[in-house]
Amino acid sequence: MFAAPMAMPAGMLDGGTLTQGDLEDYKRRLGENSPTPLDALQFASVSMRVGKALSDKDLKLYNSAIFSLKEQTPGDRAANMQTCQNQIAELEEKALSCSDRRKEKIGNKRDRKARGGRVRVNASGRKGTTGWSLAMGAAQSGTSFQVVFDDEGPSDDTFYPLGDLTMLCRNCDENASSKCSNCKQVWYCGRDCQKSDWKTHKKDCKK
């Protein structure tokens, strides 16, 4: 005999509309283990709604203030607690009043950031993709990065020192000689390719 499918509350899978109740639930459960899979799913849904309404910077401030309050002891200064409470209230008001247009802007910025997190490289004459961070440009020559080659998946033996990697042009996928002077996250083989790609890259380029 098969069990009946578990009913999902309305709005659980698509994110739904953020409410004050969601924020109270989020504050209560942040940093705690979910006792059941359903609880974990519910909290993931609440987190999704909160994340859609706050930028990465504001979400980090919100979480930090919540954790600070949770860690307060009776001996802590009341002024410190009030500062955290005020910050939480301010960010919650911002989240609840977030328009659909603002949510779309936040989502698009996260998508651009995610796309910018990878870079094309040439390693030992083979082309592939590796992770990118702002620290990569300043990494020591011995630092290794995993490369996922175009003709195979990742494996334990595809780590290459930074000095053995040649960046590829974002526009033509050939060996690059310079990177964008503004965001310093994408490479080009020359000015012609950089100019050709600007219409696309300007949406991602850090301002």
Side-chain angles (χ1 to χ4, degrees), residues 18-27 62 92-93 96:
L18 181 68
T19 66
Q20 184 62 48
D22 288 332
L23 294 172
E24 296 300 326
D25 191 33
Y26 182 82
K27 287 185 291 188
Y62 187 53
E92 287 183 347
E93 182 179 355
L96 291 172

Side-chain angles (χ1 to χ4, degrees), residues 25-47:
D25 191 33
Y26 182 82
K27 287 185 291 188
R28 179 177 59 84
R29 300 170 67 178
L30 184 65
E32 299 178 359
N33 293 325
S34 298
T36 68
L38 178 57
D39 286 328
L41 184 61
Q42 288 173 334
F43 182 65
S45 180
V46 170
S47 298

